[in-house]
Amino acid sequence: MPTTLPIPIQFVLPEGWRPAPPDEVGAPDAAFVALHPEPDGGFTANITIDGDFWSAEEETLADIADGSVERLRRSLGAVQVAGRRPLGSDDSPGLAQRLTLTAVVGGVQRELVQSQVYLAMQDVADPRKRVVIRLILTVTAAQEDAVGADFQEFLRSVAPDPGTPGTETGGGA
């Protein structure tokens, strides 16, 4: 069963991307998954979204990102942090990191790239709640440049959803 985000967000998917049920595409911990329309050699680029409550006093965004890398290393082995940089402002911090990894997907060993973006947000219904939303693009190394522009477009559309409290992630085409 897919997870829900701690606060509702809204976003717009780039043209051609389609939502997919997280459980059916092997991402049961994701709140949302979108698939690219053109697979590369049998691998479909994807965007996943998840998130959790955050205590900025107890851990930094870098700590959270380090935890993601360690979880990937435990399941895949070969994971390298190729770059990391802060985003946003003191009031609305973020962090981006680029990972290179080797994974067996569909019985085939693949060289993949993940772009992970961590966004700290406040719940618009309850500003005392702070969360971190993690947005991940996973692509083959060959697709990175072409699909990366779609991911940047997607990231620019992500925002807290001022709509009905308690709703899940928004989305659209």
Side-chain angles (χ1 to χ4, degrees):
M1 168 180 245
T3 16
T4 57
L5 293 175
I7 63 169
I9 63 170
Q10 60 186 8
F11 54 85
V12 177
L13 288 175
E15 188 173 331
W17 287 76
R18 62 182 169 76
D23 284 337
E24 292 179 22
V25 295
D29 294 331
F32 182 83
V33 175
L35 302 176
H36 190 265
E38 298 173 24
D40 177 28
F43 180 82
T44 302
N46 58 81
I47 294 171
T48 59
I49 304 172
D50 63 26
D52 207 347
F53 289 98
W54 177 45
S55 172
E57 296 82 34
E58 295 175 16
E59 63 184 343
T60 67
L61 290 177
D63 293 335
I64 295 169
D66 288 341
S68 293
V69 171
E70 287 310 310
R71 282 188 298 283
L72 278 172
R73 283 188 178 137
R74 282 194 299 272
S75 64
L76 300 175
V79 177
Q80 297 296 318
V81 178
R84 182 181 280 181
R85 64 186 170 85
L87 305 170
S89 65
D90 289 341
D91 292 336
S92 186
L95 180 87
Q97 70 180 3
R98 181 179 175 273
L99 308 177
T100 57
L101 50 116
T102 303
V104 176
V105 181
V108 178
Q109 187 167 318
R110 301 186 185 276
E111 299 301 317
L112 302 176
V113 177
Q114 267 195 4
S115 296
Q116 299 182 342
V117 175
Y118 298 82
L119 300 176
M121 295 183 172
Q122 286 184 312
D123 187 333
V124 292
D126 184 355
R128 295 170 299 181
K129 292 182 184 174
R130 291 198 50 92
V131 301
V132 173
I133 303 297
R134 183 173 65 154
L135 310 150
I136 303 171
L137 171 69
T138 306
V139 297
T140 63
Q143 284 181 305
E144 184 178 16
D145 290 338
V147 178
D150 283 355
F151 190 54
Q152 292 302 316
E153 176 186 331
F154 165 75
L155 291 173
R156 284 190 294 274
S157 76
V158 175
D161 187 349
T164 308
T167 59
E168 292 185 31
T169 57

